Amino acid sequence: MKYAFILLAMAGMLFSCSQGHGDEASHSEAHATPTALALNDGERWQADEPTNDNLQQLQQLMEDHLNQPEADSIDAINELGRGMQLGFQEVFKECRMQGTEHDMLHAYLMPMLEDVKALETNNPETALAARDRLAERLGEYQTYFK
């Protein structure tokens, strides 16, 4: 039941992202085939201010979590998961990017959604592995976006 709710919430976030982009059909077509994350001819992609702000908040949330004395406890990781879910909802809700930059943002974000869900598991090994992958991926944002 919990996973059904999470999947429904993630689908809602993707739908809300598409609402800010005018032609919904072209947006769906752009995401019909996954885009591989890459630089823009060796340069970083231009992200909009709300996206940069929201990703900075997610990075700060992760940093604050990792600086806790009990960061590896299942309770702390579960709490991080709840915060990350709220943060990702904001990213998708405020998404206004278009074109290739938008496609690259989705290519960057989408692999993280499974890890965000996995943070709320009761299995410490699964939660720790998901947390560590998320921390690494969040650290890569400035590599691909400015």
Side-chain angles (χ1 to χ4, degrees):
M1 183 71 166
K2 185 177 185 179
Y3 288 107
F5 174 74
I6 291 171
L7 289 173
L8 185 60
M10 293 299 169
M13 287 187 287
L14 288 174
F15 177 74
S16 69
C17 180
S18 69
Q19 295 304 297
H21 300 288
D23 184 0
E24 198 170 323
S26 66
H27 181 266
S28 296
E29 288 172 15
H31 294 294
T33 57
T35 303
L37 183 61
L39 290 170
N40 183 10
D41 293 325
E43 299 293 322
R44 296 182 297 159
W45 297 99
Q46 183 63 54
D48 63 2
E49 187 176 341
T51 300
N52 284 332
D53 290 346
N54 283 318
L55 264 295
Q56 184 177 32
Q57 289 175 14
L58 288 171
Q59 290 169 332
Q60 186 63 52
L61 179 64
M62 181 62 76
E63 184 178 329
D64 292 346
H65 164 79
L66 292 172
N67 287 328
Q68 294 179 58
E70 300 294 322
D72 291 347
S73 76
I74 196 68
D75 290 337
I77 295 172
N78 290 165
E79 183 177 331
L80 173 66
R82 289 185 290 277
M84 284 286 172
Q85 281 189 9
L86 293 173
F88 270 82
Q89 286 174 359
E90 286 301 307
V91 170
F92 285 106
K93 180 176 134 187
E94 296 181 7
C95 178
R96 299 294 177 261
M97 294 170 60
Q98 296 182 352
T100 308
E101 291 88 357
H102 177 257
D103 296 342
M104 287 298 119
L105 179 64
H106 274 261
Y108 171 77
L109 294 172
M110 298 313 285
M112 291 192 278
L113 294 180
E114 286 298 316
D115 286 330
V116 169
K117 289 186 279 186
L119 293 176
E120 294 200 49
T121 184
N122 289 326
N123 181 312
E125 293 83 20
T126 299
L128 277 169
R131 192 249 347 244
D132 292 346
R133 284 189 302 270
L134 267 173
E136 182 177 340
R137 187 72 168 196
L138 285 168
E140 295 173 346
Y141 182 72
Q142 281 76 18
T143 300
Y144 294 98
F145 298 94
K146 57 183 175 180

